[in-house]
Amino acid sequence: MKKKSAPFTRLDILFTALVGLWSFALYVRTLAPSVLSTDYAEFQTLFYTLGMTHPTGYPVHVLIGRIFTLIPIRSIAYRANLSSAFFAAVVIAETYLIVYLLGRRRIAALSSALLLAHLPLFWQFAIIAESYSIASAFSLTILLLILLWREKGSWHFLFFAGLLGGASLGVHGGIAMAAPAIAFYLLLTARKRDAWVGGITGTLVGIAILSASFFYIDQNDPPSSIYNSVYRPSLSHWNITEEEFDTPLERLSIIFPLGSSGSFFFNVPQEIIIKRLDIYKKNYSVLIWATFFIGLLSLFFIKDRQNRSRWPEAILIFGTFLPIWLFALTVNVSLYDQFFTLSDPFIYIWVGLGTSLILTLLASIKMQKKQKKILIAALSMLIIAAPFLQANKSLLSAWTLGYTRDIEKRGLIPVHAPEQKARLAKRVVNKLEENAIVFAEWDTLYAYYYIAHVERGLTGIAFHQAYIGDGTTEVTQSLAAYIAQNIDKRPIYTTIRLRDLENLYIFEEVGDNLMKLHKR
């Protein structure tokens, strides 16, 4: 029996390392240096305190993020951001490997990986503590392992793909959308029992890791957990009582609300979808779109090194991409485009495959050998230069200023005052007693938690979200009762005027948008 050759050579490993290190250096250079706001501050805080986050809880992500907080460099917030940079660099490296494995053209693999690395939206979420980079890393690792199984035939690849798949709900729910495509692919290609046993066993181990992660984070339940910052004071918003929120499974039903997922997915008007599509297509040049479609179709017609058709792989990749992309297109939130970061790696895999096919066709043209070499060399140089030429302004700005125009414009990081959130939070915390209760809006809630609980260890201060739901201006009944129970025991502050409680309390201005409550 002929021994199968290794799918990658030492040169491929070198190129993988180079594109990974380049992108990692780029993201570290532009990394957010301090505590941020909204969900980003939440991850920065809860990676360290090991608390449950907003739905879907992200327990596996939190535990992985905790590892990065142990790195002895700069602040905890910086280390949390560094985790995204690391996993984004992993995505870039894996893009190279997948494109080369399928297309066998190193120039095309290098170019597509670098194009993705420089893509503004992908870049912007690689420099803050968020779930998109690690979710993409999980997705591409699963895909790469499945392709390596197809290449080498060892069930071990499917075991680890299943393990990551099973654990993936603890990283980002979008990863699980690939499950139907993967199952269909295995039905088409898996002929041996050990492949199914390996994949199913790995999935069960992954689910066990997910379950253990959830129960650990759930039981750890620090004061900064979403359970305490949002849910427990405002349980009446969900029409439940404390007794209905006191077991892990009851909390799971709230933190992972399967029943209400329909209000989040495929629930925007048609005109909004059309508008989003129009914006989306403008994010890529005509050349990128043309190469993308060539790559998309190419897998249906080319064969692998073992002379097998690639159409099952075409279905696998498209079936993985499509639900994630549709989710981003139809998700019922205003900042919908961030979800496209989960589908963008697949776009550039197809761009790489399209480029590979063009180079292969060019090599097959009958012309003088010397002229062909010159033509291919010139085109290869242009293909490699394209990612740098396209992003030249961003790259120059990144290395000289530490940010790009796209980063500045989106506003996720206050690039001209990177410590702005931290300074405001410190001023507020400085005014608080060690047992104070503070109500705030979501944007600033976890910046306060970070300064008080992570930097200063003042875990006796409780911060809570004042209003639950977008545009809401009414305090929930249970939160009003919580204030009434504690007003005589602990100092209570708010950064938002609770207008429906003004008949009960006097709001004393104490500076920095902070008001202290007194009974009338």
Side-chain angles (χ1 to χ4, degrees):
M1 184 177 178
K2 186 178 179 181
K3 186 178 179 181
K4 295 179 182 179
S5 60
F8 306 112
T9 67
R10 290 182 180 178
L11 184 59
D12 295 311
I13 302 304
L14 174 62
F15 284 160
T16 301
L18 287 176
V19 294
L21 288 172
W22 164 258
S23 54
F24 184 65
L26 193 64
Y27 302 148
V28 170
R29 174 62 184 134
T30 53
L31 199 71
S34 186
V35 67
L36 299 168
S37 59
T38 63
D39 298 359
Y40 324 129
E42 181 194 18
F43 282 118
Q44 290 173 320
T45 301
L46 297 180
F47 282 174
Y48 183 76
T49 63
L50 293 177
M52 199 68 71
T53 72
H54 66 278
T56 55
Y58 304 90
V60 175
H61 186 197
V62 167
L63 288 173
I64 293 172
R66 173 61 171 166
I67 297 171
F68 283 85
T69 68
L70 301 176
I71 301 172
I73 55 171
R74 300 181 67 167
S75 68
I76 299 297
Y78 181 88
R79 301 171 198 176
N81 296 333
L82 189 66
S83 69
S84 286
F86 172 81
F87 286 110
V90 169
V91 172
I92 303 308
E94 290 179 327
T95 299
Y96 171 87
L97 292 174
I98 291 170
V99 172
Y100 179 71
L101 190 61
L102 294 173
R104 293 293 160 184
R105 290 285 177 176
R106 293 189 177 95
I107 295 296
L110 281 169
S111 179
S112 58
L114 290 170
L115 283 168
L116 175 62
H118 301 164
L119 186 68
L121 189 63
F122 186 84
W123 185 343
Q124 289 163 34
F125 284 94
I127 60 176
I128 58 176
E130 248 294 358
S131 60
Y132 303 112
S133 294
I134 187 173
S136 291
F138 263 61
S139 292
L140 261 65
T141 303
I142 292 168
L143 175 59
L144 179 60
L145 288 168
I146 292 172
L147 295 176
L148 287 172
W149 163 76
R150 178 75 160 157
E151 187 86 6
K152 301 293 290 181
S154 173
W155 64 267
H156 298 89
F157 292 114
L158 287 185
F159 173 84
F160 287 108
L163 186 152
L164 292 178
S168 66
L169 277 178
V171 174
H172 195 284
I175 307 170
M177 296 180 189
I182 293 172
F184 185 64
Y185 176 79
L186 292 178
L187 285 172
L188 292 174
T189 57
R191 298 287 180 262
K192 294 183 179 179
R193 181 182 177 185
D194 64 354
W196 287 99
V197 172
I200 292 171
T201 303
T203 302
L204 293 175
V205 172
I207 292 172
I209 291 171
L210 168 64
S211 301
S213 300
F214 170 78
F215 284 113
Y216 176 78
I217 298 295
D218 178 85
Q219 292 302 305
N220 191 53
D221 196 18
S224 53
S225 168
I226 198 76
Y227 293 158
N228 298 306
S229 65
V230 175
Y231 285 94
R232 287 193 170 102
S234 297
L235 286 176
S236 62
H237 175 77
W238 292 274
N239 295 316
I240 58 175
T241 64
E242 292 182 14
E243 290 74 23
E244 295 171 317
F245 194 71
D246 61 2
T247 70
L249 292 180
E250 287 171 342
R251 291 188 286 271
L252 178 62
S253 68
I254 299 295
I255 208 75
F256 204 93
L258 290 174
S260 61
S261 59
S263 63
F264 194 60
F265 192 21
F266 286 114
N267 191 29
V268 290
Q270 183 178 352
E271 59 269 21
I272 292 180
I273 294 176
I274 294 172
K275 183 178 180 181
R276 289 179 178 181
L277 268 175
D278 186 56
I279 295 171
Y280 181 76
K281 69 182 183 182
K282 292 177 181 176
N283 288 334
Y284 308 97
S285 67
V286 174
L287 184 60
I288 289 293
W289 278 122
T291 315
F292 158 76
F293 282 112
I294 293 171
L296 180 64
L297 295 173
S298 69
L299 274 185
F300 287 96
F301 304 105
I302 63 173
K303 294 185 177 182
D304 64 12
R305 292 191 300 170
Q306 298 174 46
N307 204 35
R308 295 177 303 199
S309 173
R310 282 292 195 191
W311 68 265
E313 283 73 31
I315 292 174
L316 170 65
I317 297 174
F318 187 74
T320 301
F321 160 83
L322 185 61
I324 297 172
W325 184 78
L326 286 174
F327 176 78
L329 190 66
T330 63
V331 66
N332 190 17
V333 294
S334 56
L335 296 176
Y336 68 94
D337 62 340
Q338 59 198 17
F339 293 102
F340 282 124
T341 58
L342 300 177
S343 62
D344 277 330
F346 298 95
I347 295 287
Y348 283 92
I349 287 171
W350 281 310
V351 168
L353 294 177
T355 307
S356 297
L357 181 60
I358 291 169
L359 288 170
T360 299
L361 292 174
L362 187 62
S364 66
I365 294 176
K366 292 183 179 181
M367 59 187 302
Q368 289 186 5
K369 191 174 182 180
K370 186 176 180 180
Q371 291 177 336
K372 185 186 291 187
K373 281 187 175 181
I374 293 173
L375 181 59
I376 292 175
L379 182 59
S380 297
M381 289 178 63
L382 183 61
I383 290 170
I384 285 295
F388 299 98
L389 294 173
Q390 182 176 306
N392 67 90
K393 291 182 179 178
S394 293
L395 295 175
L396 179 63
S397 174
W399 292 119
T400 57
L401 301 176
Y403 62 87
T404 69
R405 173 61 180 151
D406 294 301
I407 294 171
E408 179 185 33
K409 184 178 179 181
R410 191 172 185 95
L412 299 179
I413 305 168
V415 294
H416 300 293
E419 297 291 334
Q420 180 187 64
K421 305 296 182 183
R423 284 197 297 267
L424 173 60
K426 286 175 182 177
R427 291 200 304 268
V428 169
V429 171
N430 285 341
K431 292 179 169 65
L432 302 175
E433 297 85 348
E434 292 188 7
N435 67 334
I437 296 173
V438 184
F439 297 98
E441 56 189 347
W442 179 255
D443 284 357
T444 56
L445 181 68
Y446 272 94
Y448 299 150
Y449 259 122
Y450 178 85
I451 296 300
H453 288 218
V454 176
E455 284 201 350
R456 299 188 180 177
L458 300 173
T459 55
I461 303 176
F463 299 91
H464 304 295
Q465 187 175 2
Y467 296 130
I468 309 299
D470 294 336
T472 305
T473 58
E474 292 183 1
V475 171
T476 62
Q477 291 180 350
S478 55
L479 193 145
Y482 173 70
I483 294 174
Q485 291 167 5
N486 286 279
I487 192 69
D488 294 324
K489 305 172 186 176
R490 301 171 65 178
I492 298 180
Y493 297 85
T494 181
T495 61
I496 305 171
R497 186 168 288 277
L498 309 174
R499 298 196 180 280
D500 48 344
L501 299 182
E502 286 181 330
N503 61 324
L504 298 174
Y505 304 102
I506 297 170
F507 292 78
E508 177 194 0
E509 299 277 357
V510 295
D512 294 310
N513 294 324
L514 195 63
M515 294 167 278
K516 188 172 185 179
L517 273 64
H518 303 279
K519 289 172 69 175
R520 285 192 179 275

